[in-house]
Amino acid sequence: MLILPQRQTVLAAQQAADADLLSGGRVRLGVGTGWNWVEYDALGVPYEGRGARLNEQIELMRLLWAEPLVSFSGRFHELDRCCINPRPGRRIPIFAGGFSEAAYRRGGTVCDGFTFAGDVDAAMEGMDRVRYHLHESGRQHLVDEGAFPFELILTRARTPEQIVETTLRWQDAGGTGVSVLTQKAGLATIDEHAEYLALVISALDGAGAR
């Protein structure tokens, strides 16, 4: 998940393309505006208008991924016969993230999925808002076809039991996937992290949650 308005758009598009090519087409790019004005101030990027900047960045990145030569005139970008090389072999999926109505609208109108984090009840309310914007923008078919993922990062569920309970609730609400965190779980080595994830997978399988 990138706070994309803090980054140079063409460079971010090239970096995402490189990562997608090197990973065999496995990149999913999450984007959001962030909330900390100090970060923007330190980078010399205006905090105001960050949402509009992000929307334009999404449009421009998709052009750079798809077209061999791009000229673009927008509110924040002026490109004259620009390109990235190499381009990815596909349109990299862009997931919105955030907790505001503007983020939910962005997800429902221009993005390919949505990533939530934190409290599952709040995430379910957010999912309803994204679905509303999908419907209003004529993209309801993506939900009907299972082509618009809803992911939840499990920042509140930290034990296998909590993860199973939250995942089942998320799936029942229409969520399509979860991300399990291993930070701050008292795990000291890579092997311990791997063993913890194996326990989680076993618990999810046993509950029929995968």
Side-chain angles (χ1 to χ4, degrees), residues 84-138:
I84 62 172
N85 186 36
R87 289 182 288 127
R90 61 178 189 138
R91 189 174 97 162
I92 298 170
I94 296 178
F95 278 40
F99 306 92
S100 67
E101 187 64 23
Y104 302 148
R105 184 183 308 110
R106 181 175 302 110
T109 56
V110 300
C111 289
D112 304 302
F114 202 99
T115 298
F116 301 88
D119 180 70
V120 66
D121 292 308
M124 287 191 290
E125 292 176 6
M127 183 161 53
D128 287 341
R129 295 306 302 159
V130 176
R131 284 173 171 158
Y132 168 81
H133 290 295
L134 283 162
H135 177 77
E136 289 296 297
S137 61

Side-chain angles (χ1 to χ4, degrees), residues 143-166:
V143 177
D144 298 338
E145 296 165 3
F148 191 94
F150 293 101
E151 180 188 67
L152 175 63
I153 301 174
L154 299 176
T155 59
R156 303 286 179 88
R158 306 312 297 267
T159 67
E161 295 77 17
Q162 291 171 342
I163 289 169
V164 167
E165 178 186 1
T166 304

